[in-house]
Amino acid sequence: MNALRIKNFEIRNRLFVGTGKYETYEIMQKALEASGCQVVTVAVRRERLIDQQGRSLLDYLDLSKYVILPNTAGCFTAEDAIRVALLGRELLEKQGNPGAGWVKLEVLGDKKTLLADPVGTIEATKELVKEGFTVLAYTSDDPRSAVRIKEAGAAAVMPAGSPIGSGQGVLNPLNISLCLELLKEGDPDYPVIVDAGVGTASDVTIAMELGADGVLLNTGIAHAKDPVQMAVAMRHALEAGYLAYRAGRIPKKRYATASSPFEGVISYIPGE
Amino acid sequence: MTTSNMTIKLNGTPHDVPEGTTVADLVAQSNLSPDKVAVELNRRLLKTDKYATPLKDGDEVEIVTFVGGG
């Protein structure tokens, strides 16, 4: 696979994996390793002043190996998303991780669907770009919103295949392909990453076969019966889709076309 | 010498703390080292070199870190 370039970031592996919802930090570590990912996402939350175990996620992530992509999950206004982005950057600057330069922007509309609020996303994108961030913006699969977010200055747009954590895969392949078409018009290297909704390996392949530059997922691995095995499946699925897209699929046809020649058959052919 | 208390909001909850308390004091009471937290004072990012500033009554402090997320 070619490296994926998102502004000043060069990413070797196009699978971005989240760190949420694993049963233990140890399983998370193994799953991340098995997925082959280079980019891992994290969330910013209030430090619990009384934490029995006193364990920090940061103790379980090899910061020399992974590029951390902090998100603004849980933010419903542009203002809050900007605050969280600044806090995430501060944390990563302290850790000396290159992820300090970017953010996965989420400005959500409501808690039930977790769908992105396009107006808030655009507002926050503009502001964060001014603050010097490389903005990777989560959005729904609406192609026109995606274009507006790109115009606002996002370095990558990340349309959702289906709602976050729903495991429904790519529900509207047409919309994802229209997002890709519009975002890449005259700008073929503009990065588009399908984010959210992946339930199993084939969903990743489908996203990549549509021409996505990468896939971001979390629950599909973390809540699989065997997260480590699923992580391996996701890695292969991504590669399969990447290669198939570049190889160029055959057009779909209504009727069969024989793979073995009819010329020279010794059999009776109906209708001839 | 009498030390008077003041009320600040720490991570959304009101706390009575002695006058002169600093962000550095609050960070020290958390389980994490200062390089694993980030701090907001009254909704603005506070850089590490400002942690020694004494807090004022009514100040709102957020101390955050990373958790798992997608």
Side-chain angles (χ1 to χ4, degrees), chain A residues 18-20 41-49 51 56-59 70-71 79-80 83 87-88 90-95 104 106 218, chain B residues 10-13 15 26 29-32 34-40 43-48 51 62-70:
Chain A
T19 55
T41 61
V42 299
V44 175
R45 289 293 179 270
R46 283 172 172 161
E47 143 75 349
R48 279 184 231 115
L49 296 180
D51 175 13
S56 164
L57 173 68
L58 284 169
D59 299 331
N71 69 28
E79 191 198 344
D80 284 345
R83 289 171 61 202
L87 287 164
E90 172 76 0
L91 276 162
L92 287 174
E93 275 174 357
K94 287 184 181 186
Q95 298 292 326
K104 177 191 157 178
E106 288 185 32
N218 189 150
Chain B
L10 173 59
N11 286 359
T13 315
H15 281 260
L26 299 178
Q29 285 162 29
S30 79
N31 290 301
L32 298 176
D35 67 325
K36 285 181 179 148
V37 298
V39 176
E40 253 190 4
R43 300 169 76 88
R44 297 193 78 96
L45 182 72
L46 190 76
K47 292 286 206 176
T48 315
Y51 285 5
E62 296 282 356
I63 302 179
V64 301
T65 188
F66 283 135
V67 300

Side-chain angles (χ1 to χ4, degrees), chain A residues 182-255:
Chain A
L182 297 183
L183 292 168
K184 288 174 176 288
E185 215 164 17
D187 190 5
D189 293 331
Y190 186 80
V192 181
I193 294 163
V194 170
D195 176 5
V198 167
T200 188
S202 54
D203 299 333
V204 173
T205 306
I206 287 166
M208 294 304 288
E209 283 174 342
L210 290 169
D213 295 289
V215 174
L216 193 159
L217 63 93
N218 189 150
T219 314
I221 291 179
H223 276 186
K225 252 186 215 159
D226 181 341
V228 178
Q229 195 160 316
M230 187 58 93
V232 175
M234 296 297 190
R235 173 159 57 91
H236 290 305
L238 185 122
E239 197 177 351
Y242 174 89
L243 293 171
Y245 177 69
R246 276 148 191 84
R249 62 153 301 144
I250 60 161
K252 290 184 184 179
K253 291 175 212 143
R254 182 173 175 86
Y255 297 114

Side-chain angles (χ1 to χ4, degrees), chain B residues 46-61:
Chain B
L46 190 76
K47 292 286 206 176
T48 315
D49 58 0
K50 299 275 174 16
Y51 285 5
T53 318
L55 294 167
K56 298 189 300 291
D57 191 53
D59 273 349
E60 291 184 20
V61 180

Side-chain angles (χ1 to χ4, degrees), chain A residues 31-54:
Chain A
L32 293 178
E33 174 80 35
S35 77
C37 73
Q38 184 191 6
V39 177
V40 299
T41 61
V42 299
V44 175
R45 289 293 179 270
R46 283 172 172 161
E47 143 75 349
R48 279 184 231 115
L49 296 180
I50 308 147
D51 175 13
Q52 302 89 333
Q53 294 186 298

Side-chain angles (χ1 to χ4, degrees), chain A residues 30-188:
Chain A
K30 285 188 190 135
L32 293 178
E33 174 80 35
S35 77
C37 73
Q38 184 191 6
V39 177
V40 299
T41 61
V42 299
V44 175
R45 289 293 179 270
R46 283 172 172 161
E47 143 75 349
R48 279 184 231 115
L49 296 180
I50 308 147
D51 175 13
Q52 302 89 333
Q53 294 186 298
R55 306 203 300 177
S56 164
L57 173 68
L58 284 169
D59 299 331
Y60 292 85
L61 290 175
D62 182 350
L63 294 180
S64 63
K65 179 175 162 185
Y66 296 115
V67 180
I68 308 297
L69 176 57
N71 69 28
T72 65
C75 290
F76 294 86
T77 65
E79 191 198 344
D80 284 345
I82 292 160
R83 289 171 61 202
V84 169
L86 291 169
L87 287 164
R89 176 160 75 182
E90 172 76 0
L91 276 162
L92 287 174
E93 275 174 357
K94 287 184 181 186
Q95 298 292 326
N97 189 273
W102 66 2
V103 64
K104 177 191 157 178
L105 176 65
E106 288 185 32
V107 182
L108 305 172
D110 65 273
K111 216 176 152 185
K112 186 171 172 178
T113 68
L114 298 179
L115 290 170
D117 172 55
V119 176
T121 303
I122 289 166
E123 274 173 35
T125 299
K126 286 182 183 162
E127 208 48 49
L128 288 170
V129 168
K130 272 191 223 157
E131 292 280 350
F133 281 92
T134 295
V135 177
L136 287 70
Y138 161 75
T139 180
S140 66
D141 63 3
D142 171 50
R144 292 310 322 172
S145 303
V147 168
R148 287 300 188 104
I149 292 164
K150 180 186 175 186
E151 287 168 357
V157 174
M158 306 203 289
S162 53
I164 293 175
S166 72
Q168 297 191 69
V170 178
L171 278 185
N172 193 339
L174 175 67
N175 266 20
I176 295 291
S177 70
L178 288 174
C179 284
L180 286 158
E181 190 178 329
L182 297 183
L183 292 168
K184 288 174 176 288
E185 215 164 17
D187 190 5

